[in-house]
Amino acid sequence: MRVAIVGGGVAGALLAWRTVRAPGGASVDLFTEGTGGRADASRVSGGLVRAFEPTVEATGPAAESLAEIRSSDVLREWSGYRETGALYVLPGVASVKEPAEVVDAYLPGSAEVVGRDKVVREFPFRTLPADSVAVVERHAGHISPHRLRTAALGAAAEEGVTVHSAAVDAVTQDPAVRTADGRVLRYDRVVVAAGAWTPGLLARSGLPVAGLRTKHIQYSLCAAALDGLGPFVDENSGLYGRPCADGAFLLGLPCDRWGVDPDSVTPDGALAQRVAESARRVFGVSVAVDRTVASCDCYHDPAGLALRSLGPGLHTFTGGSGGAAKTVVSASRKAAAALLA
Ligand SMILES: Cc1cc2nc3c(=O)[nH]c(=O)nc-3n(C[C@H](O)[C@H](O)[C@H](O)COP(=O)(O)OP(=O)(O)OC[C@H]3O[C@@H](n4cnc5c(N)ncnc54)[C@H](O)[C@@H]3O)c2cc1C
């Protein structure tokens, strides 16, 4: 079977590696532009990985991925996994019991459900709504999706994947890819794993964008005295973040800029200011924004990186919706199996 994968972010790279190694195997061509340093999502990703998510559906793939990274010397090394724990704070209406049970099935003993008072006592929150609830994970932390992508691309090439440093101009239902220099190359399977560039590539190809759309994501690297705080999400304020190696604290808030062009994303200064103000309010410390990093990702409803069909032999593998660093390890294994079935 001949497979073409368009896109060399962490999704395309791991899918290529999984596909070439799968039982029965396949001949794989991967097309990637931007190896020269494009700020794709995989390059700038915060890399937070944890098992817990607010729903059972989202927790499964995240927990499965994290369990595989932790149990594999190869994936731990490729991804640069650092285990620092994680904290996820939710409003009291949230039911955390079922997702926490899913975490426990993959990572026994990792997750503990705690009340608001314990969070305020043990982490530097100045205040939290009275009915807040939180999940504290021991086995969680962060990876470098860029490092993981680079290693997976190298290993895929060693296993026989042909990596073309070339942009794909369009894909067709044949299925085939048309490269920027006008060549049309036919395959048994074509997978568009071009992240936030996917909707534009499909539209340019005259294909339906299949519910995929882009959204701006940014975080700020801040000077903030947040001792005792590791990777965290606080759904009350919307803040999320983690400490970085250079002493800065990565802090972000969700953004609602939809339909952005991935080639012209620039930092939103007002959002960066809101991050600093919100962090000052929630933690009661001074917070100064040093630098803001902006990019975007491809979103889908329901969210999640998955192989989705566009017709016989033609697929997308994107839609991570700002969270595919957490799920790409399991999603790529499932996608490779489905592709070759
Ligand atoms: C700022 C930011 C912070 C994030 N933080 C986290 C986090 O903490 N935890 C988490 O789980 N997730 C996080 N994410 C999400 C996660 O990083 C992404 O979901 C994931 O990296 C997406 O990978 P991808 O391979 O689908 O896309 P990308 O990494 O964007 O890769 C797509 C690739 O396709 C290439 N391409 C595009 N068009 C073409 C074409 N026509 N021909 C050939 N190649 C093409 C591009 O050059 C690019 O290299 C974050 C995302 C952003 C933007």
Side-chain angles (χ1 to χ4, degrees), residues 62-318:
E64 199 178 333
S65 272
L66 186 50
E68 187 172 344
I69 291 173
R70 292 188 76 252
S71 66
S72 158
D73 290 344
V74 169
L75 289 175
R76 265 207 324 270
E77 163 60 25
W78 284 6
S79 66
Y81 174 62
R82 292 283 171 276
E83 187 154 289
T84 53
L87 170 71
Y88 201 117
V89 186
L90 304 100
V93 289
S95 168
V96 298
K97 192 169 158 282
E98 288 180 1
E101 283 169 2
V102 176
V103 178
D104 211 48
Y106 286 98
L107 298 155
S110 176
E112 186 191 358
V113 179
V114 301
R116 180 242 180 229
D117 292 351
K118 185 159 174 162
V119 177
V120 172
R121 219 170 33 243
E122 297 188 0
F123 299 95
F125 283 80
R126 184 175 64 170
T127 177
L128 274 179
D131 58 355
S132 297
V133 59
V135 176
V136 179
E137 285 174 80
R138 283 172 48 219
H139 302 316
H142 63 90
I143 63 167
S144 163
H146 176 55
R147 179 176 156 150
L148 177 56
R149 163 257 297 276
T150 306
L153 277 179
E158 275 174 24
E159 302 256 5
V161 171
T162 306
V163 179
H164 304 262
S165 292
V168 164
D169 196 35
V171 294
T172 71
Q173 299 269 19
D174 295 329
V177 303
R178 195 176 70 224
T179 53
D181 59 10
R183 284 177 303 152
V184 175
L185 307 167
R186 289 194 165 70
Y187 294 89
D188 300 304
R189 305 275 186 276
V190 170
V191 184
V192 182
W197 288 267
T198 304
L201 175 55
L202 295 180
R204 204 159 69 226
S205 306
L207 294 165
V209 295
L212 297 167
R213 51 189 189 144
T214 59
K215 192 166 99 159
H216 180 110
I217 307 177
Q218 74 175 41
Y219 55 76
S220 296
L221 296 164
C222 301
L226 293 170
D227 299 342
L229 189 63
F232 78 97
V233 177
D234 171 26
E235 282 203 353
N236 296 296
S237 60
L239 280 170
Y240 62 86
R242 71 168 173 87
C244 293
D246 58 4
F249 211 102
L250 180 163
L251 287 169
L253 277 173
C255 174
D256 58 4
R257 282 191 186 181
W258 289 95
V260 292
D261 171 0
D263 286 317
S264 49
V265 174
T266 52
D268 175 341
L271 179 60
Q273 275 319 111
R274 283 206 300 283
V275 166
E277 282 156 19
S278 182
R280 278 181 213 119
R281 198 169 53 246
V282 171
F283 299 113
V285 297
S286 78
V287 177
V289 172
D290 180 29
R291 188 164 64 87
T292 295
V293 175
S295 183
C296 60
D297 200 7
C298 188
Y299 281 67
H300 186 268
D301 185 10
L305 177 64
L307 193 73
R308 296 183 174 90
S309 175
L310 287 175
L314 184 57
H315 305 265
T316 59
F317 184 55
T318 184

